[in-house]
């Protein structure tokens, strides 16, 4: 209780509120640094040898900053892999089936040849054979990311009359997405030879028209 200038009683001053701390404040720049560090650490040492300590050191933060966001390295990787499905790829819109396929293949081929992706995806595929949670998250990320774009290409080609309206969507997805992932994950070969993407585009377009 306080006394006003006229002698009347006044209200007790309220204490100042402290700004929220700990889990209530998660700086986005720190979160992004951790995400980047995870992919770099995966590429450098693989999932089995990856540790929260290594991630924190690479991100330039303390382990506490990582644990405030994810309770284990499994949940961290699952979260990041699942986020890939949400981001997806830009949907091509060139006006022709072959044009859309060529653009998709160029973008996907560059992404899969990225040093981080070329190490992380095969490593997680191997880990997925031992961990059902990683298998589910990886399948969702890779399949949904490609399915959204491939379905858009198929729908546009169908609307233009370039392919049958009765085309099997699942089969079309396999035809479109299979070749590059086969090279990236199974063969793990270098950059495709000159003319490969153009030939793949023509072959895929012909296959879709024949379905």
């Amino acid at each position: 209780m306080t006394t006003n200038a006229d002698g009347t009683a006044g209200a007790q001053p309220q204490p100042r509120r402290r700004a929220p701390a700990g889990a209530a404040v998660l700086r986005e720049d720190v979160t992004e640094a951790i995400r980047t560090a995870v992919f770099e650490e995966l590429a450098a040492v693989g999932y089995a040898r990856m540790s929260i300590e290594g991630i924190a050191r690479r991100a330039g933060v303390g382990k506490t900053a990582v644990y405030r966001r994810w309770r284990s390295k499994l949940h961290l990787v699952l979260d990041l892999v699942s986020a890939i499905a949400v981001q997806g790829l830009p949907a091509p819109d060139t006006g022709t089936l072959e044009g859309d396929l060529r653009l998709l293949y160029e973008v996907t081929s560059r992404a899969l040849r990225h040093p981080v992706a070329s190490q992380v995806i095969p490593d997680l595929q191997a880990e997925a054979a031992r961990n059902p949670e990683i298998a589910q998250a990886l399948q969702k990320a890779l399949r949904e990311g490609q399915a959204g774009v491939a379905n858009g290409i198929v729908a546009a080609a169908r609307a233009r009359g370039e392919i049958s309206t009765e085309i099997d969507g699942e089969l079309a997805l396999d035809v479109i997405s299979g070749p590059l992932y086969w090279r990236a994950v199974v063969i793990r070969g270098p950059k495709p030879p000159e003319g490969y993407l153009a030939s793949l585009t023509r072959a895929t377009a012909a296959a879709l028209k024949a379905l």
Side-chain angles (χ1 to χ4, degrees):
M1 180 91 52
T2 61
T3 303
N4 296 329
D6 59 1
T8 59
Q12 183 73 22
Q14 295 297 315
R16 293 182 60 184
R17 279 191 171 185
R18 296 180 60 187
V25 176
L26 299 178
R27 287 171 46 190
E28 186 59 30
D29 60 329
V30 172
T31 302
E32 286 305 312
I34 295 172
R35 289 189 175 117
T36 299
V38 170
F39 285 115
E40 292 175 351
E41 192 76 357
L42 275 170
V45 304
Y47 177 82
R49 295 174 57 195
M50 186 178 74
S51 66
I52 295 296
E53 290 81 359
I55 293 168
R57 183 168 53 251
R58 192 179 290 271
V61 301
K63 290 191 297 181
T64 303
V66 181
Y67 282 119
R68 283 176 179 169
R69 293 160 173 81
W70 300 278
R71 65 179 182 267
S72 69
K73 75 172 187 178
L74 173 60
H75 290 90
L76 174 51
V77 171
L78 290 178
D79 179 56
L80 297 188
V81 170
S82 298
I84 298 174
V86 178
Q87 296 173 4
L89 295 169
D93 186 17
T94 66
T96 67
L97 174 59
E98 286 199 20
D100 288 352
L101 289 171
R102 180 60 184 270
L103 183 56
L104 173 64
Y105 286 149
E106 288 176 352
V107 172
T108 305
S109 179
R110 284 197 300 269
L112 291 175
R113 291 199 316 272
H114 188 281
V116 174
S118 64
Q119 292 294 325
V120 169
I121 293 177
D123 183 64
L124 288 180
Q125 289 281 13
E127 192 64 33
R130 300 182 289 270
N131 191 314
E133 288 183 280
I134 289 182
Q136 184 178 15
L138 190 61
Q139 182 184 40
K140 177 182 176 66
L142 296 180
R143 185 173 180 80
E144 290 191 6
Q146 282 289 314
V149 178
N151 289 340
I153 291 175
V154 169
R158 187 189 296 121
R160 290 190 297 261
E162 294 179 279
I163 59 177
S164 170
T165 57
E166 303 300 321
I167 190 170
D168 185 327
E170 287 293 313
L171 184 55
L173 174 60
D174 292 344
V175 170
I176 292 172
S177 301
L180 288 185
Y181 280 93
W182 168 267
R183 291 185 66 89
V185 177
V186 180
I187 298 179
R188 302 187 67 178
K191 179 180 179 180
E194 186 174 353
Y196 174 81
L197 294 182
S199 297
L200 178 60
T201 296
R202 290 192 297 270
T204 304
L208 291 174
K209 292 175 182 178
L211 292 180

Coordinates of all heavy atoms in Angstrom, one line a residue, residues 99-139:
G99 N 8.8 -30.2 -71.6 CA 9.4 -29.1 -70.9 C 9.3 -29.2 -69.4 O 10.3 -28.8 -68.7
D100 N 8.1 -29.6 -68.9 CA 8.0 -29.7 -67.5 C 8.9 -30.8 -66.9 O 9.5 -30.7 -65.8 CB 6.5 -30.1 -67.1 CG 5.6 -28.9 -67.3 OD1 6.1 -27.8 -67.6 OD2 4.4 -29.1 -67.2
L101 N 9.0 -31.9 -67.6 CA 9.9 -33.0 -67.2 C 11.3 -32.6 -67.2 O 12.1 -32.9 -66.2 CB 9.7 -34.3 -68.1 CG 8.3 -35.0 -67.9 CD1 8.2 -36.1 -69.0 CD2 8.2 -35.7 -66.5
R102 N 11.7 -31.9 -68.2 CA 13.1 -31.5 -68.3 C 13.5 -30.6 -67.2 O 14.6 -30.7 -66.5 CB 13.4 -30.8 -69.7 CG 14.8 -30.3 -69.9 CD 15.8 -31.5 -69.8 NE 17.2 -31.0 -69.9 CZ 17.9 -30.9 -71.0 NH1 17.2 -31.2 -72.2 NH2 19.1 -30.5 -71.1
L103 N 12.6 -29.6 -66.9 CA 12.9 -28.7 -65.8 C 13.0 -29.4 -64.4 O 13.8 -29.2 -63.6 CB 11.8 -27.6 -65.7 CG 12.0 -26.5 -64.7 CD1 13.4 -25.8 -64.9 CD2 10.9 -25.4 -64.8
L104 N 12.0 -30.3 -64.2 CA 12.0 -31.1 -63.0 C 13.3 -31.9 -62.8 O 13.9 -31.9 -61.8 CB 10.8 -32.1 -63.0 CG 10.8 -33.1 -61.8 CD1 10.7 -32.4 -60.5 CD2 9.7 -34.1 -62.0
Y105 N 13.8 -32.5 -63.9 CA 15.0 -33.4 -63.9 C 16.2 -32.5 -63.6 O 17.1 -32.9 -62.9 CB 15.1 -34.2 -65.1 CG 14.2 -35.3 -65.2 CD1 13.7 -35.8 -66.5 CD2 13.7 -36.0 -64.1 CE1 12.8 -36.9 -66.5 CE2 12.9 -37.1 -64.1 CZ 12.4 -37.5 -65.4 OH 11.5 -38.6 -65.4
E106 N 16.3 -31.3 -64.2 CA 17.4 -30.5 -64.0 C 17.5 -30.0 -62.5 O 18.6 -30.1 -61.9 CB 17.3 -29.2 -64.9 CG 17.6 -29.6 -66.4 CD 17.4 -28.3 -67.3 OE1 16.9 -27.3 -66.8 OE2 17.7 -28.4 -68.5
V107 N 16.4 -29.6 -62.0 CA 16.4 -29.2 -60.6 C 16.7 -30.3 -59.6 O 17.5 -30.2 -58.7 CB 15.0 -28.5 -60.2 CG1 14.9 -28.2 -58.7 CG2 14.8 -27.3 -61.0
T108 N 16.0 -31.5 -59.8 CA 16.2 -32.6 -59.0 C 17.7 -33.1 -59.1 O 18.3 -33.5 -58.0 CB 15.2 -33.7 -59.3 OG1 13.9 -33.2 -59.3 CG2 15.4 -34.9 -58.3
S109 N 18.2 -33.2 -60.3 CA 19.5 -33.7 -60.4 C 20.6 -32.8 -59.7 O 21.5 -33.4 -59.0 CB 19.9 -33.7 -62.0 OG 21.2 -34.2 -62.2
R110 N 20.4 -31.5 -59.8 CA 21.3 -30.6 -59.1 C 21.2 -30.8 -57.6 O 22.2 -30.9 -56.8 CB 21.0 -29.2 -59.4 CG 21.6 -28.8 -60.8 CD 21.6 -27.2 -60.9 NE 20.3 -26.6 -60.7 CZ 19.5 -26.4 -61.7 NH1 19.8 -26.7 -63.0 NH2 18.3 -25.8 -61.5
A111 N 19.9 -31.0 -57.1 CA 19.7 -31.1 -55.6 C 20.3 -32.4 -55.1 O 21.0 -32.5 -54.1 CB 18.2 -31.1 -55.3
L112 N 20.2 -33.5 -55.9 CA 20.7 -34.8 -55.4 C 22.2 -34.9 -55.5 O 22.8 -35.7 -54.8 CB 20.1 -35.9 -56.3 CG 18.6 -36.2 -56.0 CD1 18.0 -37.2 -57.0 CD2 18.3 -36.6 -54.6
R113 N 22.8 -34.0 -56.4 CA 24.3 -34.1 -56.5 C 24.9 -33.1 -55.4 O 26.2 -33.1 -55.3 CB 24.7 -33.6 -57.9 CG 24.4 -34.6 -59.0 CD 25.3 -34.3 -60.2 NE 25.4 -32.9 -60.6 CZ 24.5 -32.3 -61.3 NH1 23.5 -32.9 -61.8 NH2 24.7 -31.0 -61.6
H114 N 24.1 -32.4 -54.7 CA 24.7 -31.5 -53.7 C 25.5 -32.4 -52.7 O 25.1 -33.5 -52.3 CB 23.6 -30.8 -52.9 CG 24.1 -29.7 -52.0 ND1 24.6 -30.0 -50.7 CD2 24.2 -28.4 -52.1 CE1 25.0 -28.9 -50.1 NE2 24.8 -27.9 -50.9
P115 N 26.7 -31.9 -52.3 CA 27.6 -32.8 -51.4 C 26.8 -33.3 -50.2 O 27.1 -34.4 -49.7 CB 28.7 -31.8 -51.1 CG 28.8 -30.9 -52.2 CD 27.4 -30.7 -52.7
V116 N 26.0 -32.4 -49.6 CA 25.3 -32.9 -48.3 C 24.3 -33.9 -48.7 O 24.2 -35.0 -48.1 CB 24.7 -31.6 -47.6 CG1 23.8 -32.1 -46.5 CG2 25.8 -30.7 -47.1
A117 N 23.4 -33.6 -49.7 CA 22.3 -34.5 -50.0 C 22.9 -35.9 -50.5 O 22.4 -36.9 -50.2 CB 21.5 -33.9 -51.1
S118 N 24.0 -35.9 -51.2 CA 24.5 -37.1 -51.8 C 25.1 -38.0 -50.7 O 25.2 -39.2 -50.9 CB 25.7 -36.8 -52.8 OG 26.7 -36.1 -52.1
Q119 N 25.4 -37.4 -49.5 CA 25.9 -38.2 -48.4 C 24.7 -38.6 -47.4 O 24.6 -39.7 -46.9 CB 26.9 -37.5 -47.6 CG 28.2 -37.3 -48.4 CD 29.0 -38.7 -48.6 OE1 28.9 -39.6 -47.8 NE2 29.6 -38.8 -49.7
V120 N 23.8 -37.6 -47.2 CA 22.8 -37.8 -46.2 C 21.7 -38.8 -46.6 O 21.3 -39.7 -45.8 CB 22.2 -36.4 -45.9 CG1 20.9 -36.6 -45.0 CG2 23.1 -35.5 -45.1
I121 N 21.2 -38.7 -47.8 CA 20.1 -39.5 -48.3 C 20.5 -41.0 -48.2 O 19.8 -41.8 -47.7 CB 19.6 -39.1 -49.7 CG1 18.9 -37.7 -49.6 CG2 18.6 -40.1 -50.2 CD1 18.5 -37.2 -50.9
P122 N 21.7 -41.4 -48.8 CA 22.0 -42.9 -48.8 C 22.2 -43.3 -47.3 O 21.9 -44.5 -47.0 CB 23.3 -42.9 -49.6 CG 23.2 -41.8 -50.5 CD 22.6 -40.7 -49.7
D123 N 22.8 -42.5 -46.5 CA 23.1 -42.9 -45.1 C 21.7 -43.1 -44.4 O 21.6 -44.1 -43.6 CB 23.9 -41.8 -44.4 CG 24.2 -42.2 -43.0 OD1 24.9 -43.2 -42.8 OD2 23.8 -41.6 -42.0
L124 N 20.8 -42.2 -44.6 CA 19.5 -42.4 -43.9 C 18.7 -43.5 -44.5 O 18.0 -44.2 -43.8 CB 18.7 -41.1 -44.0 CG 19.2 -39.9 -43.2 CD1 18.3 -38.7 -43.4 CD2 19.2 -40.2 -41.7
Q125 N 18.9 -43.8 -45.8 CA 18.3 -45.0 -46.3 C 18.8 -46.3 -45.6 O 18.0 -47.2 -45.3 CB 18.6 -45.1 -47.9 CG 17.8 -44.0 -48.7 CD 16.4 -44.4 -49.0 OE1 15.8 -45.3 -48.3 NE2 15.8 -43.7 -49.9
A126 N 20.1 -46.3 -45.4 CA 20.7 -47.5 -44.7 C 20.2 -47.6 -43.3 O 19.8 -48.6 -42.8 CB 22.2 -47.4 -44.7
E127 N 20.1 -46.4 -42.6 CA 19.6 -46.4 -41.2 C 18.1 -46.8 -41.2 O 17.7 -47.4 -40.2 CB 19.8 -45.0 -40.6 CG 19.6 -44.9 -39.1 CD 20.6 -45.8 -38.4 OE1 21.8 -45.9 -38.8 OE2 20.2 -46.3 -37.3
A128 N 17.4 -46.4 -42.2 CA 15.9 -46.7 -42.2 C 15.7 -48.2 -42.2 O 14.6 -48.6 -41.7 CB 15.3 -46.1 -43.5
A129 N 16.6 -49.0 -42.7 CA 16.4 -50.5 -42.7 C 16.4 -51.0 -41.2 O 15.9 -52.1 -41.0 CB 17.5 -51.1 -43.5
R130 N 17.0 -50.2 -40.3 CA 17.1 -50.6 -38.9 C 16.2 -49.9 -38.0 O 16.0 -50.3 -36.8 CB 18.5 -50.5 -38.4 CG 19.6 -51.2 -39.1 CD 21.0 -51.1 -38.5 NE 21.5 -49.7 -38.8 CZ 22.2 -49.4 -39.9 NH1 22.5 -50.4 -40.8 NH2 22.7 -48.2 -40.0
N131 N 15.6 -48.8 -38.5 CA 14.8 -47.9 -37.6 C 13.5 -47.5 -38.3 O 13.5 -46.7 -39.3 CB 15.6 -46.6 -37.3 CG 14.9 -45.8 -36.2 OD1 13.7 -45.6 -36.3 ND2 15.7 -45.3 -35.3
P132 N 12.4 -48.1 -37.9 CA 11.1 -47.9 -38.6 C 10.7 -46.4 -38.6 O 10.0 -46.0 -39.6 CB 10.1 -48.8 -37.8 CG 10.9 -49.8 -37.2 CD 12.2 -49.2 -36.9
E133 N 11.0 -45.7 -37.5 CA 10.6 -44.3 -37.5 C 11.3 -43.5 -38.6 O 10.7 -42.6 -39.2 CB 10.9 -43.7 -36.1 CG 10.0 -44.2 -35.0 CD 10.3 -43.6 -33.7 OE1 11.3 -44.0 -33.0 OE2 9.6 -42.6 -33.3
I134 N 12.6 -43.7 -38.7 CA 13.3 -43.0 -39.8 C 12.8 -43.5 -41.2 O 12.7 -42.7 -42.1 CB 14.8 -43.3 -39.7 CG1 15.4 -42.5 -38.4 CG2 15.6 -42.9 -40.9 CD1 16.9 -42.7 -38.2
A135 N 12.5 -44.8 -41.3 CA 12.0 -45.3 -42.6 C 10.7 -44.5 -43.0 O 10.5 -44.1 -44.1 CB 11.8 -46.8 -42.5
Q136 N 9.8 -44.4 -42.0 CA 8.5 -43.7 -42.3 C 8.7 -42.3 -42.6 O 8.1 -41.7 -43.6 CB 7.6 -43.9 -41.1 CG 6.2 -43.3 -41.3 CD 5.3 -43.5 -40.1 OE1 5.8 -43.8 -39.0 NE2 4.0 -43.4 -40.3
A137 N 9.6 -41.6 -41.8 CA 9.8 -40.2 -42.1 C 10.5 -39.9 -43.4 O 10.2 -39.0 -44.2 CB 10.6 -39.5 -41.0
L138 N 11.5 -40.8 -43.8 CA 12.2 -40.6 -45.0 C 11.3 -40.9 -46.2 O 11.3 -40.2 -47.2 CB 13.4 -41.6 -45.0 CG 14.4 -41.3 -46.2 CD1 15.0 -40.0 -46.1 CD2 15.5 -42.4 -46.1
Q139 N 10.5 -41.9 -46.1 CA 9.6 -42.2 -47.2 C 8.6 -41.1 -47.4 O 8.3 -40.7 -48.5 CB 8.8 -43.5 -46.9 CG 7.8 -43.9 -48.0 CD 7.0 -45.1 -47.7 OE1 6.5 -45.3 -46.6 NE2 6.8 -46.0 -48.7

